[in-house]
Amino acid sequence: MNRPVLYTDFDGVLNAFPDKEIQDNGGVGHTQWLDDDDPRAQLYSTERAFVLTGDDIVRTPCGYYRIRWSRNIAQTLHRLASEGDIELNWLTTWQPYCSRILDPLLGWDPHIEHTAIWYDPISYERRYTGKLSTVFSRVRFETTQANPSPVIWLDDEECYETAADRIRALSPKAPVLMVRPDARIGISRRQWRIIQKFIRKPETFPELTLDEEPTIREYPGHLGF
């Protein structure tokens, strides 16, 4: 198989949205003040979540946004792309600002990562359908290749069973991994181990794997940009 193709969202995946009370008291790993039966103690433990070592405010034409991310994850993804282990693609509503804002923020080289153009930033056409269509098209393309690439899709909102069923119906020739993090912590340590294993040995995975963090919760609207 060719190297895996990775599509990643930003908000809720790399950019986490921790509870304000948690963040104000130190964030991941600083939950001693919580009651023992408070479920947040486990969610924000270092055994489950990465410490958000990156913390900044960025300015866009639409306003200011607070960004909190794990430098560990961001740096490793960029290194994997730099060394040719993965093809790294943004698939995020930050599409117009990936190379100008997100790449410099994370220390990514825009000549190494790519930005999927999946919606019109003026009319917003395809904003509600473009992500799945982009992944769908790539998986369908790979089914025509003699040496197909496995596909990884990281998204806290759109990686769910209905989308998985549509992709599964294509009968992918190379494994597909869909990962849905809990937006409060982003990619968990458990999910990161799955992603790394998939990158190293995709042939050990079934046709399609959907991993949803057990603590995910539904929320109205869209978090982030």
Side-chain angles (χ1 to χ4, degrees):
M1 294 181 187
N2 282 326
R3 63 179 179 169
V5 176
L6 190 149
Y7 292 95
T8 184
D9 188 15
F10 184 60
D11 292 327
V13 177
L14 297 179
N15 178 30
F17 296 89
D19 292 345
K20 185 177 185 304
E21 188 179 21
I22 295 290
Q23 193 61 36
D24 289 346
N25 283 277
V28 173
H30 298 276
T31 56
Q32 301 89 340
W33 54 277
L34 291 173
D35 293 336
D36 292 340
D37 60 348
D38 192 318
R40 293 177 298 174
Q42 181 180 4
L43 176 64
Y44 292 102
S45 70
T46 53
E47 287 75 26
R48 186 168 203 163
F50 285 89
V51 177
L52 304 178
T53 50
D55 190 339
D56 207 340
I57 296 175
V58 299
R59 180 182 180 182
T60 77
C62 302
Y64 291 86
Y65 290 86
R66 188 66 173 265
I67 309 296
R68 295 187 176 97
W69 74 100
S70 162
R71 295 184 188 276
N72 185 329
I73 294 177
Q75 290 171 356
T76 302
L77 283 175
H78 186 258
R79 176 180 58 78
L80 289 168
S82 299
E83 295 176 355
D85 294 321
I86 60 172
E87 176 191 311
L88 182 58
N89 301 276
W90 282 119
L91 187 59
T92 168
T93 50
W94 286 80
Q95 171 191 299
Y97 310 110
C98 288
S99 60
R100 288 158 41 195
I101 295 178
L102 297 190
D103 288 343
L105 180 74
L106 302 182
W108 288 11
D109 183 345
H111 295 98
I112 292 176
E113 64 81 10
H114 310 281
T115 300
I117 307 303
W118 58 278
Y119 78 97
D120 187 315
I122 305 300
S123 68
Y124 290 161
E125 183 181 0
R126 299 181 73 241
R127 182 140 179 186
Y128 296 104
T129 61
K131 282 188 177 182
L132 178 58
S133 294
T134 298
V135 176
F136 199 82
S137 294
R138 185 57 184 259
V139 173
R140 185 165 48 196
F141 168 78
E142 295 300 336
T143 64
T144 69
Q145 302 303 298
N147 191 22
S149 294
V151 174
I152 304 169
W153 183 17
L154 315 178
D155 197 290
D156 67 306
E157 293 179 302
E158 300 206 29
C159 285
Y160 49 83
E161 193 59 50
T162 302
D165 287 342
R166 290 192 60 187
I167 294 174
R168 193 179 288 112
L170 293 174
S171 299
K173 286 181 64 177
V176 176
L177 172 64
M178 300 171 63
V179 175
R180 185 182 182 189
D182 185 318
R184 292 171 291 180
I185 61 173
I187 299 169
S188 69
R189 291 184 182 275
R190 181 190 62 79
Q191 290 180 321
W192 186 234
R193 289 192 293 270
I194 294 172
I195 294 166
Q196 290 184 305
K197 180 180 178 182
F198 187 92
I199 291 171
R200 293 193 307 269
K201 296 182 177 180
E203 69 279 0
T204 64
F205 283 73
E207 179 183 71
L208 187 142
T209 301
L210 169 62
D211 184 90
E212 298 178 290
E213 190 66 17
T215 55
I216 56 173
R217 58 183 181 180
E218 301 297 333
Y219 44 84
H222 172 74
L223 287 176
F225 185 81

